[in-house]
Amino acid sequence: METRMDRITTRMMEHICDNLCKYPDQLNEEELEEKCAECKMGKYVCDILNHHNKCKEICEECTDCRWQQLNGGTCKGGKARCGQFVAERE
């Protein structure tokens, strides 16, 4: 099942690969596949998704954090760990 973050990171990568990467115009298909396999953007996307999942896990039961507010939750006060997370993010 594709999540909202999957859609966001997919669009981000499509934009980077299609509009910003210089290699599609310089390499043939086989060389491009090799270059893409070496690209650090895949690691960055994994880092983004891992961080998002960590945030989601921390905030799963609490509505007092920025993550919940950005995703339609309402702030009702909450647990210390969320307060720590909010302070960490600001």
Side-chain angles (χ1 to χ4, degrees), residues 55 59 62-73 75 82-83 85-87 89-90:
C55 296
C59 299
C62 179
T63 57
D64 188 32
C65 70
R66 187 86 174 119
W67 185 86
Q68 283 286 359
Q69 292 169 15
L70 291 173
N71 289 286
C75 183
C82 264
F85 177 73
V86 172
R89 297 264 298 161
E90 293 181 80

Side-chain angles (χ1 to χ4, degrees), residues 26-67:
Q26 298 177 356
L27 304 174
N28 65 37
E29 191 172 327
E30 186 176 306
E31 293 170 327
L32 184 60
E33 283 183 32
E34 288 178 26
K35 187 56 84 173
C36 291
E38 298 170 2
C39 183
K40 293 181 181 180
M41 288 308 299
K43 180 187 179 321
Y44 297 145
V45 168
C46 287
D47 290 346
I48 290 168
L49 292 172
N50 286 336
H51 180 76
H52 172 74
N53 289 336
K54 176 184 170 192
C55 296
K56 186 176 177 182
E57 185 178 305
I58 289 170
C59 299
E60 209 165 53
E61 298 175 10
C62 179
T63 57
D64 188 32
C65 70
R66 187 86 174 119
W67 185 86

